[in-house]
Amino acid sequence: GHAFVNFVSPEDTARAWDRFEGFADWAMPSARACAVAWNDKYQGFEALVDRYRDCPVMHDLMPDVCKPILLSNGRRIAFPPPLRPIRARKEVRTCLQ
């Protein structure tokens, strides 16, 4: 899996980067380690929301567990509604036929 995290300060970013890069002490056994990367294409909260709000992954047929979520102060908040109709991914449409 992956996550996009929008930090509020450069210091928070550096601290999280140091903590999570190479992290592998998972609660469940796994040989995978966390890799941190800078997202050059989408920077900031609004850019990430705009990227996903009209994305096929946000279609009603997609399971909620597959969709991006927004958190504020550790609590889930509503994702802004799409700006246009969302077409389900081809894989989802095929599966439902």
Side-chain angles (χ1 to χ4, degrees):
H2 63 273
F4 294 99
V5 181
N6 187 55
F7 290 103
V8 295
S9 75
E11 295 80 18
D12 290 339
T13 303
R15 195 168 31 256
W17 195 300
D18 289 344
R19 176 71 176 107
F20 288 105
E21 180 62 34
F23 179 88
D25 190 21
W26 310 110
M28 301 286 289
S30 174
R32 301 203 59 173
C34 185
V36 179
W38 190 265
N39 185 344
D40 288 327
K41 192 168 183 180
Y42 302 102
Q43 266 304 305
F45 178 81
E46 292 297 326
L48 287 166
V49 167
D50 289 345
R51 161 68 179 93
Y52 286 100
R53 74 186 318 162
D54 295 330
C55 185
V57 75
M58 298 301 284
H59 193 276
D60 289 340
L61 295 175
M62 288 295 289
D64 194 53
V65 70
C66 297
K67 297 177 181 183
I69 64 170
L70 297 177
L71 300 171
S72 178
N73 296 316
R75 296 186 185 269
R76 188 171 183 173
I77 60 173
F79 209 93
L83 299 174
R84 60 178 180 79
I86 297 174
R87 186 167 164 86
R89 292 180 59 117
K90 181 180 178 182
E91 298 87 356
V92 174
R93 291 192 314 267
T94 302
C95 192
L96 294 173
Q97 293 178 353

